[in-house]
Amino acid sequence: MNGEVLAVRDGACVRITLSNPERRNALTFPMYDQLAQACDVADEPGVRAVVLRGAGGRAFAAGTDIRHFTAFGAHGNAGRDGLDYERRVGRVLDRLLRLRAPLLGVVEGPAVGGGLALAAACDVLLATPDAVFGAPIARTLGNCLPAPVIARLKDRLGAGRTMAMLLTAETLAAEEARTAGFVHRVVPRGELDEHAAALVERLVTSAPLTLAAVKETDRRLLAATAPADTDDLLRRTYGSADFAEGVRAFLDHRTPRWEGR
């Protein structure tokens, strides 16, 4: 599978790019590993800001490359495969949250599924008017989100909007995400780079210990209300016939036929 994650140091800023534009920057498993490695670059001495962005200008990230899911259950335990997958992604999200420097997400187009989780891991989000956020898995794959992701969404987006978004499988437009406080600013595409550069400049010229303390306080506050163990729910959904049907239907470009088992 194609795709890569690039990390480029630019003075006091590290720019991380999710690059799989032919598939709307859907992340392959190697890309998740590369993203974790990019965080090591972002934690090098002297780095004061990190930018996360999708390549090509058409999408931030359309989640995980669905083709990976066709192998789940090949050895007889799709539920276990799903749990291992979520733990793998969870380690990458945790690594992003532990970055010392502020993480600025620049969102053009969809940030859905795993892309939504990546956006939620950012400290500040800029978005274009065509950006959309969501995890419509209740109408596509039939899996579920792990508790830490839902907890962070509720913290950043609000409990009501998060539950409505997940249960109705609807996406949020950029302006609605801004109203909710999830997105810092919505800017025209032609002004996006200018606004991103201005924010980076503001971050790299601010007191680094203060910014690090704010981020660490945010982490500790979220950790103080640690989410419940939902491994049983992950095993059940990923091990279900509905999930296998959802994957097949997604790749066949048809509507899934849910059976509730």
Side-chain angles (χ1 to χ4, degrees), residues 171-212:
T171 55
L172 296 181
E175 190 56 37
E176 185 176 358
R178 187 198 65 79
T179 300
F182 188 68
V183 168
H184 171 58
R185 193 173 295 157
V186 177
V187 298
R189 276 183 173 269
E191 301 174 13
L192 184 61
D193 291 343
E194 177 185 349
H195 280 273
L199 272 177
V200 167
E201 178 64 18
R202 191 172 187 85
L203 293 172
V204 301
T205 57
S206 295
L209 294 181
T210 299
L211 300 188

Side-chain angles (χ1 to χ4, degrees), residues 9 13 28 31 69 82 89 105 129 135 145 152-153 169 172-173 184 191 196 221 251:
R9 178 85 180 254
C13 178
T28 62
M31 286 176 69
F69 297 149
V89 176
L145 297 179
R152 187 157 183 88
L153 287 172
L172 296 181
H184 171 58
E191 301 174 13
L221 286 171
L251 295 176

Side-chain angles (χ1 to χ4, degrees), residues 50-227:
V50 186
V51 177
L52 180 63
R53 190 170 186 172
R58 294 177 55 245
F60 178 71
T64 299
D65 193 318
I66 305 302
R67 293 175 294 177
H68 280 298
F69 297 149
T70 61
F72 282 18
H75 302 291
N77 195 336
R80 181 74 230 183
D81 291 341
L83 183 57
D84 289 344
Y85 155 72
E86 289 292 356
R87 287 178 174 173
R88 179 181 198 160
V89 176
R91 288 191 294 269
V92 177
L93 294 174
D94 183 66
R95 184 67 184 89
L96 281 170
L97 291 171
R98 288 187 289 108
L99 288 174
R100 290 192 297 269
L103 178 59
L104 169 64
V106 179
V107 180
E108 303 166 87
V112 295
L116 173 66
L118 291 177
C122 295
D123 300 303
V124 181
L125 285 177
L126 278 182
T128 52
D130 65 329
V132 291
F133 303 86
I137 51 179
R139 296 185 65 83
T140 54
L141 297 180
N143 57 332
C144 69
L145 297 179
V149 172
I150 293 180
R152 187 157 183 88
L153 287 172
K154 291 174 73 173
D155 181 65
R156 294 301 172 104
L157 189 57
R161 275 191 174 90
T162 296
M163 293 301 293
M165 177 182 67
L166 297 178
L167 293 175
T168 64
E170 294 178 343
T171 55
L172 296 181
E175 190 56 37
E176 185 176 358
R178 187 198 65 79
T179 300
F182 188 68
V183 168
H184 171 58
R185 193 173 295 157
V186 177
V187 298
R189 276 183 173 269
E191 301 174 13
L192 184 61
D193 291 343
E194 177 185 349
H195 280 273
L199 272 177
V200 167
E201 178 64 18
R202 191 172 187 85
L203 293 172
V204 301
T205 57
S206 295
L209 294 181
T210 299
L211 300 188
V214 170
K215 283 175 58 72
E216 180 61 24
T217 299
D218 180 56
R219 280 190 292 267
R220 293 185 187 184
L221 286 171
L222 195 58
T225 55

